[in-house]
Amino acid sequence: MQAAVIIKAVESSWHYAKGFLDIGRVSDYIPILAATDATQLGCAVMTPDGSCHKFGNADALFSMQSISKVISLMYALKILGREKVFAKVGAEPTGDPYNCLIKLETAGEKPFNPFINAGAITVTSLLAENAQLADIMQFCHKVFGGEVAVDEDVYAQEKRAGKRNWSMAYLMSSKGALGEDVEDYLNLYFRLCAVNVNAVNLAHMGAMLAGGGKSPTTGEEIVPPWVITTTKAIMLTCGMYDGSGDFAVSAGLPAKSGIGGGIVATGGTLGLGTFGPALDSKGNSVGGIKFMSKISEQLGLSVFSC
Amino acid sequence: MQAAVIIKAVESSWHYAKGFLDIGRVSDYIPILAATDATQLGCAVMTPDGSCHKFGNADALFSMQSISKVISLMYALKILGREKVFAKVGAEPTGDPYNCLIKLETAGEKPFNPFINAGAITVTSLLAENAQLADIMQFCHKVFGGEVAVDEDVYAQEKRAGKRNWSMAYLMSSKGALGEDVEDYLNLYFRLCAVNVNAVNLAHMGAMLAGGGKSPTTGEEIVPPWVITTTKAIMLTCGMYDGSGDFAVSAGLPAKSGIGGGIVATGGTLGLGTFGPALDSKGNSVGGIKFMSKISEQLGLSVFSC
Amino acid sequence: MQAAVIIKAVESSWHYAKGFLDIGRVSDYIPILAATDATQLGCAVMTPDGSCHKFGNADALFSMQSISKVISLMYALKILGREKVFAKVGAEPTGDPYNCLIKLETAGEKPFNPFINAGAITVTSLLAENAQLADIMQFCHKVFGGEVAVDEDVYAQEKRAGKRNWSMAYLMSSKGALGEDVEDYLNLYFRLCAVNVNAVNLAHMGAMLAGGGKSPTTGEEIVPPWVITTTKAIMLTCGMYDGSGDFAVSAGLPAKSGIGGGIVATGGTLGLGTFGPALDSKGNSVGGIKFMSKISEQLGLSVFSC
Amino acid sequence: MQAAVIIKAVESSWHYAKGFLDIGRVSDYIPILAATDATQLGCAVMTPDGSCHKFGNADALFSMQSISKVISLMYALKILGREKVFAKVGAEPTGDPYNCLIKLETAGEKPFNPFINAGAITVTSLLAENAQLADIMQFCHKVFGGEVAVDEDVYAQEKRAGKRNWSMAYLMSSKGALGEDVEDYLNLYFRLCAVNVNAVNLAHMGAMLAGGGKSPTTGEEIVPPWVITTTKAIMLTCGMYDGSGDFAVSAGLPAKSGIGGGIVATGGTLGLGTFGPALDSKGNSVGGIKFMSKISEQLGLSVFSC
């Protein structure tokens, strides 16, 4: 694909998406998110050679939030293997909001998938018990193509506001689906949610997913290909909360959103990253979804395209 | 892809899958299904030129059951358009068993997707109100690459045994999510479930999905490409009941199963059809899933492969 | 208790209750109910000697609706015995609306109690299989102290509008909690709901409950005492839908309401009957509840009074 | 009622109940409960003059567990009044197990009643914010007719094992149904659960309930009559977990059980207390239920008796 074609697609898709921002609203879950400028939209696309085409607020930093669930899943798969991870968490979409407790009560002990909060907390507990924070951050640097850091204010606010996560973790621990050190798991969980990234970081991550686990900038194999195949499958079926099905129809890309406004996606050989803090009712970035759907259509990126 | 490679993959995957049949058991929902020989396994793969490579019980007839949900969805999209169909049914996976009523009670009026029973009954109601049975059967002939017919015994047994479907339909009608003619809708629904096909028919259907809606044997455009893109996306996220996520990870193919033992799938340019009446606990063909996963791996068919 | 005291309490409680009618609204479930005059309030109290003190629209006829659930339970207990009835239905309050399907899906096969629709349909199925309509109507005449009849228009409208009951019945039948003749059961169920009574009939029924099963007017033992003890216990815990707990606190009387606007209750040696078609959000008569609570307080009728 | 009649009834009911103990099993929730001797059964009945008739292990100490919910409710009603308490908690039975989270997710913010854990934690939060522990313990001494104390080992074990309570409390706090000081509320909740009592203490409490709030031994009015009327109504509809309806039918007594094996009840002018640590599947004392049902039948104590 020629650079000029991509650049034009990024620009026109950005302009198209920009027109929908007023449908959404920023998350008011914590003060820092509530104070975010809802009119921002940044988009970045990275090619296999590491070139990045960006538009709008592509350098603005924001907390990655649920995109950390992909990081945790990949790192857990890498260091623990498929079997140990999927002994603790499933790979099924749920149709429920990301923070719903009902299936935990009614449908067995294992959370449905690693991208709902319950499942992500479970995966995080595996990391807490088997890895050091420094190593996970090192992994983040590689995935994002540069240094990233925890925003300590976001972390503190998340920890205080995240009572529903405390509730889930204690419920799972009471059922034996989670270990005893609930506070440790949640501290790590909230910490990873609070890592600041920008759209270019997400495009780098997307390009790594497109490249079978190799860094588009350094060429290093960050995770083996089977981790990527597994991760992309779960991203497509579960990555956009209970809007995953609609996104599969409209964009057809493995993707993951966060309530900080980010979306990471991969299509063909490209990595895509967006930042648009105005969210729809399911917690997905309005501008990000519109951008992803439009550029997927323009460049024929959907895995379901004919 | 060379024919020899495909033939070898079909054969070895069939042999591999054959070894798992004793894990499963035939559906005992209706007497005809309960009496099916559980040791059968038939597999067929069709290339874009209409050539078919098959192995085992690929010519055995069986009722397509839930595979009719794909037929109904494609035909409804074709004759009514995207908007009218998705006004009545969503495109979200649920994580619930296919015949669960809970989300109908708790999560709004629109069934989650066209491949759970509630959603399929809704789509069927649109057909009942806007199409003739003869036209739908004509559509079936094209999709399956040959004449197919309703098995009247299966139809009669389904109608009597399908009380949970009656329950769902009345519940939806009570909420206004379905029209008044509940009996008409269900008669058509049960009739389409009772259409007999074989694995070769399913491979033809799969090849049509691979070919963007064109018949691999006649070249006729049976449905337009956007119908295929939409249908494949929903097949991947929702096609294997509450085992769809696992199948996305293991095989990565848009697919749809039926409790008669059939699975239709599409991978790359190929159409795949299997018949294996021994089912797992979620209602999916044990042999079919093993065959699809193995041949996907051997030929690199997964949409998530690196 | 002197007649003058009772008469004064009926009158003052009626006046008190009358002031709350505009909080409620008539059921719009079927046209006949929707057309009822919401300003009506009739109250009747019968003493053990069969004397009746009434006020307001105590002679107005209305369909007994869910009060039929008490009739069916008592008659089933009388002709089949405790064991056969409670093999099919429990005696636990649910906290759910009367027509909710969720517990049927999640909490085992037996409906929770005979006064939610699912449980009442189950009890009715026992009657349909073991009794004649003529005998049940004969039982009604005795309980109500006079001839009562099915309102055929109400019956026809109920049968058409009651899709949620059809849904429940098919769901239970699919689980084996109900027999095969779903249509027969529902016909009888709808027919009994459609029997017309007035507040005096209900006061007679209440006096029979107070009198351990003996008719206050004829002295005949209509049902044995153990049927009354059992029935009153279930009335107190389950008789006012998911408002039963509040009514136990405010009035403390075994009672049963119907969406036609009736309430039957028993307190001390008295039978109480009210008709007030303006309903609250749970389907209970606003005026009836206020009357019952007030007169219970004035005459010290609560089973929990000190 | 003559003392000889009561004594005979206590003795024969104790003998009757003793024969059912092997149906049950002790709670294994915490080590101390798990180590309890399941063959114990102690029963005590107190008359309005404070005389106590007891049999078996009526002096054995055990933690009152959920019986503390009645204490908390009465004390909260006494010091805060009806309105403030019922603004935070309902009075409806649920049909769910005592520690179920589903209705908290699906049915609004207010817990259904003060005798499920969610509701009791809510009531306890009102105490934590409006009372001192010393005052609550003082109230306990009066209710139980003697000094009682927290078992610090039970408290420590409860606090560690009660993860599901932590989960509920955080869930309610996340919804605004509970304040911010989750840890304070739970500490008080667990502490009150861990107060040791014996069957005689419970009989004293029951006699106070029978006497409209007056201590049978000192004559002091511990709570006003309206608190008793309210409390007895909720005990009858909600006091025996999701076995409350069955107990209303079989015994017909306002009662409350705890998983430590205790049951307090009131019937006519009598107070009844039992200790039998072998529990049924719903968490109620097997021996206690059998004793209560038998003595209720023998002495005609049921509020529903004819």
Side-chain angles (χ1 to χ4, degrees), chain C residues 147-180:
Chain C
E147 295 271 319
V148 292
V150 174
D151 183 320
E152 293 293 335
D153 290 338
V154 171
Y155 168 62
Q157 290 182 11
E158 292 280 348
K159 194 173 165 178
R160 197 162 51 239
K163 282 175 191 142
R164 187 172 266 269
N165 288 321
W166 288 98
S167 177
M168 274 189 212
Y170 275 114
L171 180 58
M172 288 191 290
S173 185
S174 81
K175 294 181 159 208
L178 202 67
E180 290 291 312

Side-chain angles (χ1 to χ4, degrees), chain A residues 91-96 103 112 212 225 228-229 232-234 236-237 242-246 248-249 254 303-306, chain B residues 91-96 103 112 212 225 228-229 232-234 236-237 242-246 248-249 254 303-306:
Chain A
E92 286 305 322
T94 73
D96 296 320
K103 279 217 172 69
F112 265 56
I228 298 299
T229 302
K232 288 200 299 185
I234 302 177
L236 194 126
T237 53
D242 50 326
S244 298
D246 280 335
V249 169
V303 298
F304 307 114
S305 62
C306 302
Chain B
E92 286 305 322
T94 72
D96 296 320
K103 279 219 173 68
F112 265 56
I228 297 298
T229 302
K232 288 201 300 186
I234 303 177
L236 194 126
T237 54
D242 49 327
S244 298
D246 279 335
V249 169
V303 299
F304 307 113
S305 62
C306 301

Side-chain angles (χ1 to χ4, degrees), chain D residues 229-253:
Chain D
T229 302
T230 301
T231 301
K232 288 201 298 185
I234 303 178
M235 289 172 79
L236 193 127
T237 54
C238 313
M240 303 296 279
Y241 306 123
D242 49 325
S244 298
D246 279 335
F247 190 76
V249 170
S250 68
L253 306 175

Side-chain angles (χ1 to χ4, degrees), chain D residues 131-179:
Chain D
Q132 300 300 318
L133 179 60
D135 296 333
I136 303 171
M137 290 307 295
Q138 192 60 34
F139 181 71
C140 284
H141 302 331
K142 291 179 182 175
V143 169
F144 291 128
E147 295 271 318
V148 293
V150 174
D151 183 320
E152 293 294 334
D153 290 337
V154 171
Y155 168 61
Q157 290 182 11
E158 291 280 348
K159 195 174 165 177
R160 198 163 49 241
K163 282 175 189 141
R164 187 173 266 272
N165 289 321
W166 288 97
S167 177
M168 272 188 213
Y170 277 113
L171 180 58
M172 288 191 289
S173 185
S174 81
K175 295 183 160 206
L178 202 66

Side-chain angles (χ1 to χ4, degrees), chain A residues 199-246:
Chain A
V200 175
N201 293 135
L202 297 180
H204 188 278
M205 178 180 175
M208 182 211 75
L209 288 160
K214 288 208 176 105
S215 169
T217 46
T218 69
E220 182 192 358
E221 185 183 279
I222 307 173
V223 292
W226 71 265
V227 169
I228 298 299
T229 302
T230 301
T231 301
K232 288 200 299 185
I234 302 177
M235 290 172 78
L236 194 126
T237 53
C238 313
M240 303 296 279
Y241 306 122
D242 50 326
S244 298
D246 280 335

